[in-house]
Amino acid sequence: MLNNRPNHVAIIMDGNGRWAKQQAKPRIIGHKQGVEIIQPIIKTAISQKIKVLSLFAFSCENWNRPKTEINFLMKLIASKLNQRTISTLNKNGVQFRWTGFTTNLPKTLLKKIMFLQATTEKNKKLILNLCFNYGGMQDITQAAVRFKHGESNDFAKLLLTKNLPNVDLLIRTGNEKRISNFMLFQLAYAEIIFESTYWPAYNEKKFLKNLSEYASRQRRFGTISEN
């Protein structure tokens, strides 16, 4: 286990469609394969004693994709939020959380999300934070409105990620070098790794390599290094 490990790791799971194209397969196959990668990454996060694992699965801007792909993604996610998933999360001590907006989400999916949160809320080994229908600018905007109305003096508590620590390490797969409106406030001092591998080809070995790279970095938070 790494000595210098991040408390909060966030992953932008990018490259499903391009991986499928590379395999001469439909985009939906990439999404199916991408979902299968999640469980091994969760297990590795637990073994490394990471406290929070945030996964960016669907952005507010993704509604601009073809309706057929959106409908498939909604059904795919809903199908995975089942009793088997609940049992697995509880067995491994994983607490499920959802960060996102209710706008446009199917009621059946939202109901499953809320049920999964409620049935895993006592688990302590890892918080699995699914960012679905989420956008960083939208998050800051809604928090600013609530701050203006005096709901809290602590701006961070008004963000959708309330009570979660800021991100220590952001990993983006798919060989894209941008953060795409993800947790803009929470990423203020995060270390960032742009991973060339497409998400469906990502695995525990690559995750551990990324964690090792993080461990080798020196975070200064505006101070001067003594080395």
Side-chain angles (χ1 to χ4, degrees):
M1 187 174 67
L2 297 171
N3 291 323
N4 181 25
R5 60 184 181 275
N7 285 321
H8 186 172
V9 177
I11 304 178
I12 299 176
M13 305 181 295
D14 194 23
N16 291 343
R18 282 169 290 154
W19 176 87
K21 184 178 180 180
Q22 193 178 63
Q23 306 294 319
K25 296 177 180 179
R27 287 178 59 84
I28 62 172
I29 299 301
H31 294 308
K32 282 185 176 180
Q33 178 63 22
V35 168
E36 298 304 317
I37 304 302
I38 295 175
Q39 187 58 38
I41 301 305
I42 291 173
K43 288 183 178 180
T44 304
I46 293 172
S47 72
Q48 296 301 312
K49 298 189 180 302
I50 291 167
K51 294 180 180 179
V52 184
L53 177 64
S54 291
L55 302 177
F56 198 17
F58 191 87
S59 73
C60 293
E61 290 74 30
N62 284 154
W63 292 105
N64 294 318
R65 292 188 175 189
K67 287 186 178 181
T68 52
E69 183 174 346
I70 292 172
N71 291 337
F72 176 81
L73 283 169
M74 296 298 156
K75 291 178 181 178
L76 178 62
I77 294 298
S79 71
K80 295 298 180 180
L81 304 183
N82 52 31
Q83 189 59 49
R84 182 178 178 181
T85 297
I86 292 172
S87 298
T88 301
L89 294 179
N90 284 331
K91 180 181 178 181
N92 292 297
V94 179
Q95 179 186 144
F96 176 83
R97 288 204 199 173
W98 167 62
T99 296
F101 295 91
T102 59
T103 309
N104 296 325
L105 286 184
K107 291 182 180 180
T108 52
L109 174 57
L110 191 57
K111 185 177 180 180
K112 286 191 172 188
I113 287 171
M114 296 305 177
F115 184 72
L116 191 55
Q117 283 191 143
T119 51
T120 62
E121 63 181 358
K122 294 182 180 180
N123 297 333
K124 302 297 183 182
K125 281 190 178 180
L126 173 74
I127 294 175
L128 174 63
N129 179 39
L130 180 66
C131 300
F132 196 87
N133 197 26
Y134 175 81
M137 290 187 291
Q138 293 88 338
D139 191 7
I140 291 172
T141 299
Q142 66 82 28
V145 171
R146 295 170 62 193
F147 186 79
K148 180 181 178 181
H149 291 161
E151 291 189 33
S152 174
N153 291 324
D154 187 345
F155 187 82
K157 295 294 184 183
L158 298 174
L159 295 166
L160 297 180
T161 52
K162 60 183 179 181
N163 301 323
L164 291 180
N166 284 336
V167 178
D168 297 303
L169 170 63
L170 171 68
I171 301 168
R172 179 173 186 149
T173 63
N175 204 30
E176 298 288 355
K177 297 175 176 62
R178 54 182 179 270
I179 58 175
S180 296
N181 194 26
F182 182 52
M183 289 193 181
L184 302 179
F185 186 95
Q186 302 88 336
L187 288 172
Y189 273 102
E191 296 295 316
I192 300 176
I193 295 176
F194 294 113
E195 170 66 52
S196 61
T197 307
Y198 295 141
W199 176 249
Y202 196 69
N203 54 36
E204 305 99 305
K205 186 177 180 180
K206 293 180 185 296
F207 187 36
L208 285 170
K209 181 180 178 181
N210 292 153
L211 293 176
S212 294
E213 181 178 341
Y214 170 88
S216 69
R217 295 184 183 182
Q218 185 178 44
R219 305 179 74 194
R220 293 187 290 274
F221 299 98
T223 64
I224 298 174
S225 173
E226 296 181 358
N227 296 328

